Amino acid sequence: MTEIPKNHPRYESLMAREQIVAGVEKGMTSRQGLIAQGRGEAFDYLIGENTTEGAAYAEAVAVCLLLLAENPVISVNGNAAALAAAELVMLSQLTGAKLEVNLFHRTDERVKKIIGELKENGADVVLGENAEPLLPLEHERAKVERDGIFDADVVFVPLEDGDRCQVLTDMKKLVIAIDLNPLSRTAQTAHVSIVDNLKRALPNMIDMIPEFRNMNEEDLWEIVDAYDNNVVLMDAIETMKENLTAKQNEILGIDEDSDKNDGKPDETGGKRSGNDKRNAEREEARRNARIQRNAETARKVMMRGGDLMME
Amino acid sequence: MTEIPKNHPRYESLMAREQIVAGVEKGMTSRQGLIAQGRGEAFDYLIGENTTEGAAYAEAVAVCLLLLAENPVISVNGNAAALAAAELVMLSQLTGAKLEVNLFHRTDERVKKIIGELKENGADVVLGENAEPLLPLEHERAKVERDGIFDADVVFVPLEDGDRCQVLTDMKKLVIAIDLNPLSRTAQTAHVSIVDNLKRALPNMIDMIPEFRNMNEEDLWEIVDAYDNNVVLMDAIETMKENLTAKQNEILGIDEDSDKNDGKPDETGGKRSGNDKRNAEREEARRNARIQRNAETARKVMMRGGDLMME
């Protein structure tokens, strides 16, 4: 793996990227998994790379459901194994959920590699090798184990595809999904949609287990019943809009503390003659005027009052 | 390449993904390129997978700048070559811009492969093999050709990294970037930021050339001078916010035409007995009540008046 300094502003995101690339090298993660990781990065950036209040709520409800379930199963794909094998194993052990490898681009080799990775991280039994085409989907994607996902009452699917999520809910299973895209079909279809990074969501959930483990079933069901997935989705989208507005304000704000921007040292270096200095001042004045104009027009666009196109 | 039906709702996006994977197989595109493609997909989805008015404006200004430039250079990386080799060659021929292969994860082998791809698509000369470390960046990323990007007055960089974009503007070059992420450092640093998919932007630009080719320099400069990059960025972010709001309304709209959702055929199939029918009606009433509540709470969240967390 490439060495990334811990103080890099995007350390977490870059580390995750390295883990996914390592997953490809280990033969666990597919090329499509790399593209999916990129999509996730973009949505995570928009969500603020933080667990929102709504996501924490969904994570709590997910823990309740896993504790309530009679036959919960955690579905594991190549990206999940590359990013959080140890956390998946721990969640499985603490909730009694089975682990089942379930791949969109399934090959027996990748299934074996992922099972190996989970076992290296402490898993005892991992399902997936004896999968049969039991779901109403085309052959390879239809495969699940009879004692695993097929019989499960609650399925926890970090990073699932929309079709399969739909099929699982049609089979009356309760589906918990982790998906950073609140607009995805998976997020819209699952019963509990955790709009959070897998690498934040799983440790959060593990931390929450002691709080819920000793509650009686009735209290747990009360929490689950009160949960409203649309509210959580709405909240995630709202957070993205707020972050986009903050970015707009940041761009517009340039003129409000322009001295901060213009006060930075001249990058060409060296001392300036009097002439150079006057030129520089003129240049600065011009730039300020331009920035001023930008901010004014940009504000109009934010209000959708401006006419963008040249005539 | 996987066969994708032309009528698939996400045909363009899936085709691009296949092209990028093919680029990796050909040795042109890096694994990081796959992740970058995923990020692009997410932002393209938010922008509506369409050329916005603001993007069309930026594309027009980019064409003017390429026509005005004395030594314009089109920088080509592995993703650009995988997605639009023919269009890059055509743009180069119609504007007189040189082509230079310039990679973030540079290897001589990848440079050669990309040059080969561009030549197969009709390019005569492609720079990049004789690059020297001329930019103030660490060794590999510093490499550009002296007669190419180093001497260029206008550099067109589809899919550039932020550091290098900054260095090029510091060198007083005019930089045109294509970047679907209006929040990226590249988009914020370039003089003209085209927030559009490469595969839409390049054909648009090629189509615009006849309109501008016969204009005199003064008129072209007038168009360039009137251009305001912040307005275009603001517009792109605004479009994303609007699309997110539309999605929220779609989720909230469930109750407004609930008969559309509830009228769909019962997926369990078969005829219902009178008892079943009464149960189904009760079930439907319950579901409607729940949906109603969802919409109400969700509206509150949109107004940020609701309290999400359970007590």
Side-chain angles (χ1 to χ4, degrees), chain A residues 38-49 179-183 240, chain B residues 41-43 45-46 244:
Chain A
R39 271 200 310 279
E41 278 183 14
F43 285 108
D44 201 10
Y45 183 79
L46 288 175
I47 214 89
E49 292 177 337
D179 194 329
L180 275 161
N181 176 5
L183 315 174
M240 289 184 176
Chain B
E41 278 183 14
F43 285 109
Y45 183 79
L46 288 175
L244 286 168

Side-chain angles (χ1 to χ4, degrees), chain B residues 35-247:
Chain B
I35 295 178
Q37 175 69 15
R39 272 201 309 281
E41 278 183 14
F43 285 109
D44 201 11
Y45 183 79
L46 288 175
I47 214 86
E49 293 178 334
N50 260 312
T51 300
T52 63
E53 203 178 322
Y57 182 16
E59 285 156 14
V61 172
V63 168
C64 295
L65 270 179
L66 287 172
L67 292 172
L68 283 165
E70 284 182 23
N71 188 16
V73 174
I74 301 172
S75 174
V76 182
N77 71 7
N79 284 40
L83 290 171
E87 290 82 353
L88 289 165
V89 172
M90 199 179 287
L91 187 66
S92 137
Q93 287 168 343
L94 291 171
T95 61
K98 294 173 181 168
L99 290 164
E100 176 168 342
V101 177
N102 202 303
L103 306 180
F104 186 82
H105 298 278
R106 184 189 175 92
T107 68
D108 285 344
E109 201 201 329
R110 285 183 59 225
V111 172
K112 281 207 182 70
K113 291 257 166 80
I114 294 169
I115 291 176
E117 180 79 8
L118 292 169
K119 289 194 171 171
E120 258 180 51
N121 280 277
D124 196 13
V125 180
V126 184
L127 304 174
E129 275 183 301
N130 303 312
E132 305 163 55
L134 298 170
L135 304 183
L137 287 168
E138 82 274 24
H139 198 74
E140 283 308 304
R141 277 162 70 210
K143 285 187 173 176
V144 288
E145 286 222 10
R146 196 172 285 279
D147 292 340
I149 289 173
F150 186 73
D151 259 355
D153 51 350
V154 172
V155 184
F156 177 54
V157 281
L159 319 167
E160 179 58 303
D161 76 282
D163 279 346
R164 218 160 34 182
C165 189
Q166 182 68 60
V167 164
L168 294 174
T169 59
D170 288 348
M171 290 167 80
K172 310 289 174 213
K173 299 175 189 311
L174 286 169
V175 177
I176 305 159
I178 299 188
D179 195 329
L180 275 160
N181 176 6
L183 315 174
S184 77
R185 219 146 41 87
T186 297
Q188 311 264 326
T189 309
H191 297 94
V192 179
S193 304
I194 298 171
V195 184
D196 200 3
N197 191 311
L198 181 72
K199 294 189 71 175
R200 293 190 299 267
L202 291 176
N204 286 346
M205 288 173 70
I206 289 166
D207 283 351
M208 287 173 185
I209 290 174
E211 190 185 332
F212 294 114
R213 191 161 32 192
N214 299 320
M215 270 193 188
N216 62 47
E217 289 213 355
E218 209 177 311
D219 290 345
L220 289 174
W221 274 121
E222 202 176 304
I223 293 169
V224 170
D225 278 343
Y227 177 76
D228 187 335
N229 203 46
N230 274 358
V231 172
V232 163
L233 293 176
M234 210 55 62
D235 181 62
I237 300 173
E238 201 59 27
T239 301
M240 289 183 176
K241 283 162 61 184
E242 284 173 0
N243 287 335
L244 286 168
T245 302
K247 196 73 194 181

